[in-house]
Amino acid sequence: MRDIIPGRPDRQGTPSAPLTVPALRALREQQVEGMTRRTLLRAAIGTGIGLWLVEVLGGTIGFAWSAVANVGPTVAVGTLADLEAANPGLPLRDGFPAYVAAARAFVVLVDPSRGGWTAGTDPTGEGTDLNVRALSQRCPHLGCRPNPCIEDYWFHCPCHQSRYDRLGVKAAGELYGPAPRGMDRYAIEVDAGGVLTVVTSKITLGPLPVALGQPGLIPPRTERGCA
């Protein structure tokens, strides 16, 4: 049977009892059946936020896995000549970084004037004595891969514009991006034959940012390279 609303005629046209103030108030306070606009809007917003969080989490897990998957504890890079042969046209002996995919790292001469690498072991990855440094490909900000610019010999992160000199030292200041430190460094070994091995199981966090013009940061070769 259909409910009769006070004050409204029924199907036979017979009006029901007139609406009173208490009856009107009771009607206003009745729970609306079904989903209201406000409830629908909240549900839509909640669903959107949930999907976004799933995407972010999935991307983070995927990147973290790709950063470590298929990378052994050590990667034999070879000699400097081997690295040049694998990167034809790049001025590696002038100090330009070379990417080594197997190690997920960049290899760079520390002091080009010395001509090449020196035999030895460096567990800190600083590389001055061996004249070579192996830098992790992961930007310390959110993990994107900075790439070296041939114009200024600096690393430029494509995600949030963090910038580092060719040895991975972060330039201080908002102008040079949000990364909190320089690029992380792998331990390295160079044998008597000049073969470089990157020890990917041992990593040292990069140094704190250095202001442009201060010791410890190599200035860019051009002011706005690869901008």
Side-chain angles (χ1 to χ4, degrees):
M1 177 182 293
R2 181 173 65 90
D3 292 337
I4 298 176
I5 300 175
R8 179 179 295 177
D10 60 15
R11 291 181 178 178
Q12 285 73 34
T14 304
S16 62
L19 285 173
T20 64
V21 172
L24 286 171
R25 184 178 297 112
L27 286 174
R28 286 199 301 268
E29 294 176 354
Q30 281 183 349
Q31 180 67 34
V32 178
E33 296 182 359
M35 183 176 291
T36 65
R37 289 183 179 180
R38 180 175 298 177
T39 303
L40 181 61
L41 181 60
R42 288 176 178 173
I45 293 175
T47 301
I49 293 176
L51 291 174
W52 176 77
L53 289 174
V54 169
E55 290 179 0
V56 170
L57 180 61
T60 301
I61 294 174
F63 181 86
W65 175 253
S66 67
V68 299
N70 301 320
V71 178
T74 61
V75 175
V77 175
T79 65
L80 179 55
D82 294 333
L83 199 60
E84 286 182 302
N87 296 273
L90 291 182
L92 305 188
R93 291 187 184 270
D94 289 337
F96 190 78
Y99 182 61
V100 180
R104 287 178 170 78
F106 290 94
V107 172
V108 58
L109 274 173
V110 174
D111 182 359
S113 67
R114 290 170 56 184
W117 304 334
T118 301
T121 300
D122 187 344
T124 69
E126 200 278 334
T128 299
D129 292 339
L130 278 59
N131 201 34
V132 61
R133 184 173 293 175
L135 301 166
S136 168
Q137 72 169 14
R138 298 184 72 250
C139 176
H141 181 223
L142 290 179
C144 297
R145 191 180 88 182
N147 291 302
C149 169
I150 194 65
E151 297 174 8
D152 61 9
Y153 278 45
W154 271 30
F155 287 95
H156 295 242
C157 183
C159 293
H160 302 96
Q161 314 310 315
S162 290
R163 293 172 62 186
Y164 313 82
D165 70 11
R166 65 179 188 83
L167 295 180
V169 178
K170 169 71 169 57
E174 294 183 0
L175 180 64
Y176 302 106
R181 64 178 187 275
M183 297 168 69
D184 299 334
R185 305 164 178 181
Y186 288 120
I188 50 176
E189 301 172 356
V190 178
D191 67 16
V195 174
L196 170 67
T197 296
V198 178
V199 185
T200 57
S201 59
K202 296 180 181 180
I203 191 168
T204 299
L205 299 183
L208 293 175
V210 176
L212 189 64
Q214 296 299 312
L217 183 73
I218 302 172
R221 295 196 171 195
T222 60
E223 184 177 353
R224 295 182 59 81
C226 298

